[in-house]
PDB file of all heavy atoms in Angstrom:
ATOM      1  N   GLY K  75     127.183 178.917 108.945  1.00  0.00           N
ATOM      2  CA  GLY K  75     127.439 180.159 109.652  1.00  0.00           C
ATOM      3  C   GLY K  75     128.831 180.711 109.391  1.00  0.00           C
ATOM      4  O   GLY K  75     129.005 181.881 109.084  1.00  0.00           O
ATOM      5  N   LEU K  76     129.855 179.851 109.537  1.00  0.00           N
ATOM      6  CA  LEU K  76     131.228 180.330 109.460  1.00  0.00           C
ATOM      7  C   LEU K  76     131.871 180.050 108.113  1.00  0.00           C
ATOM      8  O   LEU K  76     132.964 180.527 107.829  1.00  0.00           O
ATOM      9  CB  LEU K  76     132.060 179.695 110.584  1.00  0.00           C
ATOM     10  CG  LEU K  76     131.556 179.942 112.002  1.00  0.00           C
ATOM     11  CD1 LEU K  76     132.290 179.075 113.008  1.00  0.00           C
ATOM     12  CD2 LEU K  76     131.709 181.409 112.384  1.00  0.00           C
ATOM     13  N   ARG K  81     136.237 169.744 104.165  1.00  0.00           N
ATOM     14  CA  ARG K  81     137.549 169.097 104.202  1.00  0.00           C
ATOM     15  C   ARG K  81     138.458 169.669 105.280  1.00  0.00           C
ATOM     16  O   ARG K  81     139.489 169.108 105.590  1.00  0.00           O
ATOM     17  CB  ARG K  81     138.216 169.214 102.825  1.00  0.00           C
ATOM     18  CG  ARG K  81     137.526 168.348 101.798  1.00  0.00           C
ATOM     19  CD  ARG K  81     137.916 168.722 100.399  1.00  0.00           C
ATOM     20  NE  ARG K  81     137.282 169.975  99.996  1.00  0.00           N
ATOM     21  CZ  ARG K  81     137.447 170.539  98.814  1.00  0.00           C
ATOM     22  NH1 ARG K  81     138.234 169.979  97.917  1.00  0.00           N
ATOM     23  NH2 ARG K  81     136.830 171.660  98.508  1.00  0.00           N
ATOM     24  N   TYR K  82     138.098 170.824 105.845  1.00  0.00           N
ATOM     25  CA  TYR K  82     138.866 171.358 106.973  1.00  0.00           C
ATOM     26  C   TYR K  82     138.836 170.317 108.100  1.00  0.00           C
ATOM     27  O   TYR K  82     139.829 170.116 108.783  1.00  0.00           O
ATOM     28  CB  TYR K  82     138.261 172.672 107.459  1.00  0.00           C
ATOM     29  CG  TYR K  82     139.101 173.379 108.512  1.00  0.00           C
ATOM     30  CD1 TYR K  82     139.974 174.397 108.137  1.00  0.00           C
ATOM     31  CD2 TYR K  82     138.991 173.065 109.856  1.00  0.00           C
ATOM     32  CE1 TYR K  82     140.735 175.057 109.086  1.00  0.00           C
ATOM     33  CE2 TYR K  82     139.758 173.725 110.802  1.00  0.00           C
ATOM     34  CZ  TYR K  82     140.627 174.720 110.418  1.00  0.00           C
ATOM     35  OH  TYR K  82     141.383 175.367 111.354  1.00  0.00           O
ATOM     36  N   GLU K  88     138.658 162.937 100.160  1.00  0.00           N
ATOM     37  CA  GLU K  88     138.953 162.844  98.729  1.00  0.00           C
ATOM     38  C   GLU K  88     139.921 161.713  98.390  1.00  0.00           C
ATOM     39  O   GLU K  88     140.026 161.326  97.242  1.00  0.00           O
ATOM     40  CB  GLU K  88     139.610 164.132  98.250  1.00  0.00           C
ATOM     41  CG  GLU K  88     138.716 165.319  98.224  1.00  0.00           C
ATOM     42  CD  GLU K  88     139.561 166.568  98.076  1.00  0.00           C
ATOM     43  OE1 GLU K  88     140.393 166.835  98.962  1.00  0.00           O
ATOM     44  OE2 GLU K  88     139.398 167.259  97.071  1.00  0.00           O
ATOM     45  N   ASN K  92     137.743 156.267 104.048  1.00  0.00           N
ATOM     46  CA  ASN K  92     137.144 156.929 105.193  1.00  0.00           C
ATOM     47  C   ASN K  92     137.153 158.440 105.025  1.00  0.00           C
ATOM     48  O   ASN K  92     138.170 159.002 104.615  1.00  0.00           O
ATOM     49  CB  ASN K  92     137.931 156.604 106.463  1.00  0.00           C
ATOM     50  CG  ASN K  92     137.499 155.299 107.052  1.00  0.00           C
ATOM     51  OD1 ASN K  92     138.130 154.280 106.858  1.00  0.00           O
ATOM     52  ND2 ASN K  92     136.401 155.310 107.775  1.00  0.00           N
ATOM     53  N   GLY K  94     137.055 160.381 107.549  1.00  0.00           N
ATOM     54  CA  GLY K  94     137.898 160.841 108.644  1.00  0.00           C
ATOM     55  C   GLY K  94     137.172 161.789 109.558  1.00  0.00           C
ATOM     56  O   GLY K  94     136.430 162.651 109.108  1.00  0.00           O
ATOM     57  N   MET K  95     137.354 161.607 110.844  1.00  0.00           N
ATOM     58  CA  MET K  95     136.737 162.512 111.816  1.00  0.00           C
ATOM     59  C   MET K  95     137.809 163.499 112.295  1.00  0.00           C
ATOM     60  O   MET K  95     138.973 163.143 112.396  1.00  0.00           O
ATOM     61  CB  MET K  95     136.195 161.728 112.996  1.00  0.00           C
ATOM     62  CG  MET K  95     135.063 160.818 112.590  1.00  0.00           C
ATOM     63  SD  MET K  95     133.709 161.736 111.892  1.00  0.00           S
ATOM     64  CE  MET K  95     132.711 161.954 113.321  1.00  0.00           C
ATOM     65  N   TYR K  99     142.632 168.092 118.122  1.00  0.00           N
ATOM     66  CA  TYR K  99     143.552 169.155 117.764  1.00  0.00           C
ATOM     67  C   TYR K  99     142.929 170.115 116.734  1.00  0.00           C
ATOM     68  O   TYR K  99     143.143 171.319 116.784  1.00  0.00           O
ATOM     69  CB  TYR K  99     144.818 168.514 117.186  1.00  0.00           C
ATOM     70  CG  TYR K  99     145.977 169.443 116.983  1.00  0.00           C
ATOM     71  CD1 TYR K  99     146.776 169.820 118.055  1.00  0.00           C
ATOM     72  CD2 TYR K  99     146.292 169.919 115.727  1.00  0.00           C
ATOM     73  CE1 TYR K  99     147.865 170.666 117.854  1.00  0.00           C
ATOM     74  CE2 TYR K  99     147.362 170.765 115.515  1.00  0.00           C
ATOM     75  CZ  TYR K  99     148.140 171.123 116.581  1.00  0.00           C
ATOM     76  OH  TYR K  99     149.208 171.952 116.403  1.00  0.00           O
ATOM     77  N   SER K 103     142.268 174.138 117.102  1.00  0.00           N
ATOM     78  CA  SER K 103     142.941 175.156 116.301  1.00  0.00           C
ATOM     79  C   SER K 103     142.113 176.432 116.303  1.00  0.00           C
ATOM     80  O   SER K 103     142.645 177.506 116.060  1.00  0.00           O
ATOM     81  CB  SER K 103     143.207 174.664 114.879  1.00  0.00           C
ATOM     82  OG  SER K 103     141.983 174.452 114.185  1.00  0.00           O
ATOM     83  N   CYS K 104     140.837 176.349 116.593  1.00  0.00           N
ATOM     84  CA  CYS K 104     140.033 177.569 116.785  1.00  0.00           C
ATOM     85  C   CYS K 104     139.662 177.753 118.256  1.00  0.00           C
ATOM     86  O   CYS K 104     139.715 178.842 118.796  1.00  0.00           O
ATOM     87  CB  CYS K 104     138.757 177.494 115.967  1.00  0.00           C
ATOM     88  SG  CYS K 104     139.013 177.617 114.219  1.00  0.00           S
ATOM     89  N   SER K 106     141.056 177.037 120.930  1.00  0.00           N
ATOM     90  CA  SER K 106     142.070 177.428 121.895  1.00  0.00           C
ATOM     91  C   SER K 106     141.942 178.918 122.166  1.00  0.00           C
ATOM     92  O   SER K 106     142.430 179.412 123.182  1.00  0.00           O
ATOM     93  CB  SER K 106     143.467 177.115 121.355  1.00  0.00           C
ATOM     94  OG  SER K 106     143.669 177.808 120.123  1.00  0.00           O
ATOM     95  N   GLN K 107     141.287 179.648 121.230  1.00  0.00           N
ATOM     96  CA  GLN K 107     141.190 181.092 121.355  1.00  0.00           C
ATOM     97  C   GLN K 107     139.760 181.616 121.484  1.00  0.00           C
ATOM     98  O   GLN K 107     139.546 182.674 122.057  1.00  0.00           O
ATOM     99  CB  GLN K 107     141.838 181.772 120.143  1.00  0.00           C
ATOM    100  CG  GLN K 107     143.293 181.430 119.941  1.00  0.00           C
ATOM    101  CD  GLN K 107     144.198 182.063 120.976  1.00  0.00           C
ATOM    102  OE1 GLN K 107     143.841 183.070 121.578  1.00  0.00           O
ATOM    103  NE2 GLN K 107     145.364 181.475 121.198  1.00  0.00           N
ATOM    104  N   ILE K 108     138.777 180.907 120.913  1.00  0.00           N
ATOM    105  CA  ILE K 108     137.411 181.404 121.021  1.00  0.00           C
ATOM    106  C   ILE K 108     136.530 180.429 121.774  1.00  0.00           C
ATOM    107  O   ILE K 108     136.685 179.224 121.650  1.00  0.00           O
ATOM    108  CB  ILE K 108     136.777 181.700 119.643  1.00  0.00           C
ATOM    109  CG1 ILE K 108     137.236 180.677 118.636  1.00  0.00           C
ATOM    110  CG2 ILE K 108     137.042 183.109 119.191  1.00  0.00           C
ATOM    111  CD1 ILE K 108     136.652 180.919 117.287  1.00  0.00           C
ATOM    112  N   PRO K 137     126.719 147.977 107.328  1.00  0.00           N
ATOM    113  CA  PRO K 137     127.223 146.767 107.976  1.00  0.00           C
ATOM    114  C   PRO K 137     128.630 146.440 107.513  1.00  0.00           C
ATOM    115  O   PRO K 137     129.060 146.890 106.456  1.00  0.00           O
ATOM    116  CB  PRO K 137     126.240 145.682 107.540  1.00  0.00           C
ATOM    117  CG  PRO K 137     125.017 146.395 107.097  1.00  0.00           C
ATOM    118  CD  PRO K 137     125.472 147.716 106.593  1.00  0.00           C
ATOM    119  N   ASP K 138     129.325 145.640 108.321  1.00  0.00           N
ATOM    120  CA  ASP K 138     130.734 145.372 108.036  1.00  0.00           C
ATOM    121  C   ASP K 138     130.964 144.572 106.756  1.00  0.00           C
ATOM    122  O   ASP K 138     132.063 144.537 106.241  1.00  0.00           O
ATOM    123  CB  ASP K 138     131.358 144.620 109.217  1.00  0.00           C
ATOM    124  CG  ASP K 138     131.519 145.541 110.419  1.00  0.00           C
ATOM    125  OD1 ASP K 138     131.335 146.761 110.232  1.00  0.00           O
ATOM    126  OD2 ASP K 138     131.809 145.048 111.526  1.00  0.00           O
ATOM    127  N   TYR K 139     129.923 143.879 106.236  1.00  0.00           N
ATOM    128  CA  TYR K 139     130.137 143.108 105.020  1.00  0.00           C
ATOM    129  C   TYR K 139     129.973 143.945 103.772  1.00  0.00           C
ATOM    130  O   TYR K 139     130.046 143.447 102.662  1.00  0.00           O
ATOM    131  CB  TYR K 139     129.180 141.893 104.979  1.00  0.00           C
ATOM    132  CG  TYR K 139     127.725 142.232 105.114  1.00  0.00           C
ATOM    133  CD1 TYR K 139     126.991 142.735 104.029  1.00  0.00           C
ATOM    134  CD2 TYR K 139     127.068 142.107 106.331  1.00  0.00           C
ATOM    135  CE1 TYR K 139     125.678 143.086 104.156  1.00  0.00           C
ATOM    136  CE2 TYR K 139     125.737 142.445 106.462  1.00  0.00           C
ATOM    137  CZ  TYR K 139     125.045 142.933 105.370  1.00  0.00           C
ATOM    138  OH  TYR K 139     123.730 143.294 105.503  1.00  0.00           O
ATOM    139  N   VAL K 140     129.719 145.242 103.943  1.00  0.00           N
ATOM    140  CA  VAL K 140     129.597 146.128 102.786  1.00  0.00           C
ATOM    141  C   VAL K 140     130.891 146.894 102.606  1.00  0.00           C
ATOM    142  O   VAL K 140     131.415 147.477 103.552  1.00  0.00           O
ATOM    143  CB  VAL K 140     128.446 147.116 102.962  1.00  0.00           C
ATOM    144  CG1 VAL K 140     128.348 148.069 101.781  1.00  0.00           C
ATOM    145  CG2 VAL K 140     127.143 146.391 103.157  1.00  0.00           C
TER     146      VAL K 140
ATOM    147  N   MET R  44     125.890 138.738 110.458  1.00  0.00           N
ATOM    148  CA  MET R  44     126.866 139.135 109.471  1.00  0.00           C
ATOM    149  C   MET R  44     127.287 140.594 109.609  1.00  0.00           C
ATOM    150  O   MET R  44     128.391 140.957 109.249  1.00  0.00           O
ATOM    151  CB  MET R  44     126.239 138.962 108.094  1.00  0.00           C
ATOM    152  CG  MET R  44     126.955 137.951 107.281  1.00  0.00           C
ATOM    153  SD  MET R  44     126.337 137.713 105.636  1.00  0.00           S
ATOM    154  CE  MET R  44     125.035 138.825 105.323  1.00  0.00           C
ATOM    155  N   SER R  45     126.355 141.406 110.118  1.00  0.00           N
ATOM    156  CA  SER R  45     126.668 142.836 110.156  1.00  0.00           C
ATOM    157  C   SER R  45     127.658 143.172 111.267  1.00  0.00           C
ATOM    158  O   SER R  45     128.130 144.299 111.338  1.00  0.00           O
ATOM    159  CB  SER R  45     125.398 143.657 110.298  1.00  0.00           C
ATOM    160  OG  SER R  45     124.693 143.197 111.416  1.00  0.00           O
ATOM    161  N   GLN R  47     131.174 142.109 112.247  1.00  0.00           N
ATOM    162  CA  GLN R  47     132.355 141.299 111.980  1.00  0.00           C
ATOM    163  C   GLN R  47     133.551 141.908 112.666  1.00  0.00           C
ATOM    164  O   GLN R  47     133.900 143.052 112.415  1.00  0.00           O
ATOM    165  CB  GLN R  47     132.603 141.242 110.458  1.00  0.00           C
ATOM    166  CG  GLN R  47     131.452 140.568 109.727  1.00  0.00           C
ATOM    167  CD  GLN R  47     131.638 140.608 108.217  1.00  0.00           C
ATOM    168  OE1 GLN R  47     132.729 140.793 107.726  1.00  0.00           O
ATOM    169  NE2 GLN R  47     130.542 140.419 107.484  1.00  0.00           N
ATOM    170  N   LYS R  49     136.511 142.915 112.668  1.00  0.00           N
ATOM    171  CA  LYS R  49     137.740 143.234 111.964  1.00  0.00           C
ATOM    172  C   LYS R  49     138.153 144.658 112.289  1.00  0.00           C
ATOM    173  O   LYS R  49     137.335 145.474 112.692  1.00  0.00           O
ATOM    174  CB  LYS R  49     137.571 143.010 110.461  1.00  0.00           C
ATOM    175  CG  LYS R  49     136.576 143.940 109.819  1.00  0.00           C
ATOM    176  CD  LYS R  49     136.441 143.597 108.340  1.00  0.00           C
ATOM    177  CE  LYS R  49     135.215 144.281 107.763  1.00  0.00           C
ATOM    178  NZ  LYS R  49     134.791 143.754 106.483  1.00  0.00           N
ATOM    179  N   ARG R  51     138.851 148.304 111.768  1.00  0.00           N
ATOM    180  CA  ARG R  51     138.575 149.403 110.857  1.00  0.00           C
ATOM    181  C   ARG R  51     139.039 150.668 111.534  1.00  0.00           C
ATOM    182  O   ARG R  51     139.345 150.671 112.713  1.00  0.00           O
ATOM    183  CB  ARG R  51     137.080 149.503 110.574  1.00  0.00           C
ATOM    184  CG  ARG R  51     136.572 148.363 109.727  1.00  0.00           C
ATOM    185  CD  ARG R  51     135.130 148.594 109.430  1.00  0.00           C
ATOM    186  NE  ARG R  51     134.786 148.077 108.112  1.00  0.00           N
ATOM    187  CZ  ARG R  51     133.743 148.464 107.427  1.00  0.00           C
ATOM    188  NH1 ARG R  51     132.941 149.389 107.900  1.00  0.00           N
ATOM    189  NH2 ARG R  51     133.483 147.946 106.256  1.00  0.00           N
ATOM    190  N   SER R  52     139.031 151.756 110.771  1.00  0.00           N
ATOM    191  CA  SER R  52     139.610 152.995 111.299  1.00  0.00           C
ATOM    192  C   SER R  52     139.094 153.371 112.666  1.00  0.00           C
ATOM    193  O   SER R  52     139.828 153.801 113.517  1.00  0.00           O
ATOM    194  CB  SER R  52     139.351 154.137 110.336  1.00  0.00           C
ATOM    195  OG  SER R  52     139.760 153.797 109.061  1.00  0.00           O
ATOM    196  N   TYR R  53     137.775 153.263 112.875  1.00  0.00           N
ATOM    197  CA  TYR R  53     137.248 153.777 114.125  1.00  0.00           C
ATOM    198  C   TYR R  53     136.721 152.677 115.033  1.00  0.00           C
ATOM    199  O   TYR R  53     136.003 152.959 115.993  1.00  0.00           O
ATOM    200  CB  TYR R  53     136.164 154.806 113.844  1.00  0.00           C
ATOM    201  CG  TYR R  53     136.701 155.977 113.077  1.00  0.00           C
ATOM    202  CD1 TYR R  53     136.394 156.171 111.740  1.00  0.00           C
ATOM    203  CD2 TYR R  53     137.581 156.860 113.687  1.00  0.00           C
ATOM    204  CE1 TYR R  53     136.926 157.225 111.027  1.00  0.00           C
ATOM    205  CE2 TYR R  53     138.114 157.912 112.977  1.00  0.00           C
ATOM    206  CZ  TYR R  53     137.786 158.100 111.658  1.00  0.00           C
ATOM    207  OH  TYR R  53     138.323 159.142 110.961  1.00  0.00           O
ATOM    208  N   GLN R  89     142.963 176.087  95.865  1.00  0.00           N
ATOM    209  CA  GLN R  89     141.918 175.241  96.418  1.00  0.00           C
ATOM    210  C   GLN R  89     142.204 174.920  97.888  1.00  0.00           C
ATOM    211  O   GLN R  89     141.351 175.048  98.755  1.00  0.00           O
ATOM    212  CB  GLN R  89     141.834 173.965  95.590  1.00  0.00           C
ATOM    213  CG  GLN R  89     140.644 173.108  95.909  1.00  0.00           C
ATOM    214  CD  GLN R  89     140.873 171.667  95.507  1.00  0.00           C
ATOM    215  OE1 GLN R  89     141.963 171.134  95.688  1.00  0.00           O
ATOM    216  NE2 GLN R  89     139.855 171.022  94.978  1.00  0.00           N
ATOM    217  N   ARG R  90     143.447 174.500  98.162  1.00  0.00           N
ATOM    218  CA  ARG R  90     143.811 174.132  99.533  1.00  0.00           C
ATOM    219  C   ARG R  90     143.785 175.345 100.454  1.00  0.00           C
ATOM    220  O   ARG R  90     143.394 175.266 101.606  1.00  0.00           O
ATOM    221  CB  ARG R  90     145.207 173.509  99.569  1.00  0.00           C
ATOM    222  CG  ARG R  90     145.311 172.188  98.863  1.00  0.00           C
ATOM    223  CD  ARG R  90     144.561 171.122  99.608  1.00  0.00           C
ATOM    224  NE  ARG R  90     143.498 170.588  98.771  1.00  0.00           N
ATOM    225  CZ  ARG R  90     142.716 169.570  99.102  1.00  0.00           C
ATOM    226  NH1 ARG R  90     142.891 168.948 100.247  1.00  0.00           N
ATOM    227  NH2 ARG R  90     141.763 169.164  98.313  1.00  0.00           N
ATOM    228  N   ILE R  93     140.347 176.051 101.595  1.00  0.00           N
ATOM    229  CA  ILE R  93     139.850 175.103 102.597  1.00  0.00           C
ATOM    230  C   ILE R  93     140.424 175.410 103.975  1.00  0.00           C
ATOM    231  O   ILE R  93     139.705 175.539 104.949  1.00  0.00           O
ATOM    232  CB  ILE R  93     140.209 173.648 102.207  1.00  0.00           C
ATOM    233  CG1 ILE R  93     139.535 173.274 100.884  1.00  0.00           C
ATOM    234  CG2 ILE R  93     139.817 172.693 103.316  1.00  0.00           C
ATOM    235  CD1 ILE R  93     140.034 171.961 100.319  1.00  0.00           C
ATOM    236  N   MET R 108     136.566 185.029 108.672  1.00  0.00           N
ATOM    237  CA  MET R 108     135.344 184.885 109.467  1.00  0.00           C
ATOM    238  C   MET R 108     135.630 184.592 110.946  1.00  0.00           C
ATOM    239  O   MET R 108     134.991 185.147 111.822  1.00  0.00           O
ATOM    240  CB  MET R 108     134.529 183.743 108.857  1.00  0.00           C
ATOM    241  CG  MET R 108     133.130 183.666 109.363  1.00  0.00           C
ATOM    242  SD  MET R 108     132.323 185.231 109.119  1.00  0.00           S
ATOM    243  CE  MET R 108     130.657 184.717 109.009  1.00  0.00           C
ATOM    244  N   ILE R 109     136.598 183.727 111.201  1.00  0.00           N
ATOM    245  CA  ILE R 109     136.883 183.354 112.594  1.00  0.00           C
ATOM    246  C   ILE R 109     137.507 184.524 113.342  1.00  0.00           C
ATOM    247  O   ILE R 109     137.285 184.699 114.538  1.00  0.00           O
ATOM    248  CB  ILE R 109     137.824 182.120 112.622  1.00  0.00           C
ATOM    249  CG1 ILE R 109     137.308 181.028 111.710  1.00  0.00           C
ATOM    250  CG2 ILE R 109     137.978 181.583 114.028  1.00  0.00           C
ATOM    251  CD1 ILE R 109     135.937 180.517 112.051  1.00  0.00           C
ATOM    252  N   ARG R 112     134.962 186.691 114.574  1.00  0.00           N
ATOM    253  CA  ARG R 112     134.302 186.143 115.765  1.00  0.00           C
ATOM    254  C   ARG R 112     135.220 186.147 116.988  1.00  0.00           C
ATOM    255  O   ARG R 112     134.930 185.485 117.974  1.00  0.00           O
ATOM    256  CB  ARG R 112     133.821 184.712 115.512  1.00  0.00           C
ATOM    257  CG  ARG R 112     132.823 184.550 114.421  1.00  0.00           C
ATOM    258  CD  ARG R 112     131.561 185.317 114.717  1.00  0.00           C
ATOM    259  NE  ARG R 112     130.715 185.395 113.546  1.00  0.00           N
ATOM    260  CZ  ARG R 112     129.680 184.603 113.328  1.00  0.00           C
ATOM    261  NH1 ARG R 112     129.339 183.726 114.230  1.00  0.00           N
ATOM    262  NH2 ARG R 112     128.980 184.712 112.233  1.00  0.00           N
ATOM    263  N   PHE R 114     138.902 185.628 117.037  1.00  0.00           N
ATOM    264  CA  PHE R 114     140.203 185.000 117.004  1.00  0.00           C
ATOM    265  C   PHE R 114     141.264 186.093 116.848  1.00  0.00           C
ATOM    266  O   PHE R 114     141.019 187.087 116.200  1.00  0.00           O
ATOM    267  CB  PHE R 114     140.286 184.037 115.800  1.00  0.00           C
ATOM    268  CG  PHE R 114     141.311 182.948 115.974  1.00  0.00           C
ATOM    269  CD1 PHE R 114     140.991 181.785 116.637  1.00  0.00           C
ATOM    270  CD2 PHE R 114     142.603 183.098 115.470  1.00  0.00           C
ATOM    271  CE1 PHE R 114     141.916 180.770 116.796  1.00  0.00           C
ATOM    272  CE2 PHE R 114     143.541 182.080 115.610  1.00  0.00           C
ATOM    273  CZ  PHE R 114     143.199 180.919 116.284  1.00  0.00           C
ATOM    274  N   PRO R 115     142.473 185.934 117.488  1.00  0.00           N
ATOM    275  CA  PRO R 115     143.510 186.946 117.329  1.00  0.00           C
ATOM    276  C   PRO R 115     143.804 187.205 115.847  1.00  0.00           C
ATOM    277  O   PRO R 115     143.816 186.273 115.067  1.00  0.00           O
ATOM    278  CB  PRO R 115     144.731 186.326 118.010  1.00  0.00           C
ATOM    279  CG  PRO R 115     144.219 185.231 118.861  1.00  0.00           C
ATOM    280  CD  PRO R 115     142.893 184.808 118.331  1.00  0.00           C
ATOM    281  N   TYR R 145     147.795 177.048 115.071  1.00  0.00           N
ATOM    282  CA  TYR R 145     148.220 175.667 115.264  1.00  0.00           C
ATOM    283  C   TYR R 145     148.839 175.117 113.978  1.00  0.00           C
ATOM    284  O   TYR R 145     148.663 175.674 112.904  1.00  0.00           O
ATOM    285  CB  TYR R 145     147.012 174.809 115.642  1.00  0.00           C
ATOM    286  CG  TYR R 145     146.684 174.814 117.119  1.00  0.00           C
ATOM    287  CD1 TYR R 145     146.920 175.935 117.898  1.00  0.00           C
ATOM    288  CD2 TYR R 145     146.124 173.696 117.715  1.00  0.00           C
ATOM    289  CE1 TYR R 145     146.594 175.927 119.254  1.00  0.00           C
ATOM    290  CE2 TYR R 145     145.806 173.665 119.057  1.00  0.00           C
ATOM    291  CZ  TYR R 145     146.036 174.799 119.828  1.00  0.00           C
ATOM    292  OH  TYR R 145     145.715 174.783 121.148  1.00  0.00           O
ATOM    293  N   SER R 146     149.533 174.009 114.124  1.00  0.00           N
ATOM    294  CA  SER R 146     150.146 173.352 112.972  1.00  0.00           C
ATOM    295  C   SER R 146     149.083 172.702 112.089  1.00  0.00           C
ATOM    296  O   SER R 146     148.089 172.176 112.577  1.00  0.00           O
ATOM    297  CB  SER R 146     151.122 172.280 113.464  1.00  0.00           C
ATOM    298  OG  SER R 146     151.277 171.282 112.474  1.00  0.00           O
ATOM    299  N   TYR R 147     149.314 172.741 110.762  1.00  0.00           N
ATOM    300  CA  TYR R 147     148.404 172.079 109.842  1.00  0.00           C
ATOM    301  C   TYR R 147     149.059 170.851 109.217  1.00  0.00           C
ATOM    302  O   TYR R 147     148.605 170.335 108.204  1.00  0.00           O
ATOM    303  CB  TYR R 147     147.908 173.056 108.769  1.00  0.00           C
ATOM    304  CG  TYR R 147     146.839 173.952 109.367  1.00  0.00           C
ATOM    305  CD1 TYR R 147     147.165 174.998 110.206  1.00  0.00           C
ATOM    306  CD2 TYR R 147     145.498 173.657 109.162  1.00  0.00           C
ATOM    307  CE1 TYR R 147     146.188 175.753 110.828  1.00  0.00           C
ATOM    308  CE2 TYR R 147     144.512 174.414 109.774  1.00  0.00           C
ATOM    309  CZ  TYR R 147     144.872 175.455 110.606  1.00  0.00           C
ATOM    310  OH  TYR R 147     143.909 176.176 111.229  1.00  0.00           O
ATOM    311  N   ARG R 150     146.930 167.752 108.337  1.00  0.00           N
ATOM    312  CA  ARG R 150     145.904 167.808 107.311  1.00  0.00           C
ATOM    313  C   ARG R 150     146.405 168.312 105.977  1.00  0.00           C
ATOM    314  O   ARG R 150     145.751 168.167 104.968  1.00  0.00           O
ATOM    315  CB  ARG R 150     144.730 168.665 107.798  1.00  0.00           C
ATOM    316  CG  ARG R 150     143.821 167.897 108.750  1.00  0.00           C
ATOM    317  CD  ARG R 150     142.827 168.810 109.415  1.00  0.00           C
ATOM    318  NE  ARG R 150     143.446 169.653 110.421  1.00  0.00           N
ATOM    319  CZ  ARG R 150     142.919 170.783 110.848  1.00  0.00           C
ATOM    320  NH1 ARG R 150     141.786 171.205 110.377  1.00  0.00           N
ATOM    321  NH2 ARG R 150     143.543 171.485 111.790  1.00  0.00           N
TER     322      ARG R 150
END
Side-chain angles (χ1 to χ4, degrees):
Chain K
L76 302 169
R81 290 164 286 181
Y82 188 96
E88 290 166 299
N92 276 98
M95 295 300 266
Y99 190 79
S103 66
C104 290
S106 59
Q107 301 288 337
I108 36 180
D138 289 349
Y139 55 79
V140 178
Chain R
M44 243 182 3
S45 54
Q47 297 176 19
K49 65 183 166 195
R51 290 183 147 201
S52 307
Y53 299 108
Q89 190 203 40
R90 294 291 118 175
I93 297 170
M108 193 55 153
I109 310 301
R112 299 298 168 99
F114 204 86
Y145 275 32
S146 155
Y147 282 77
R150 281 170 287 159

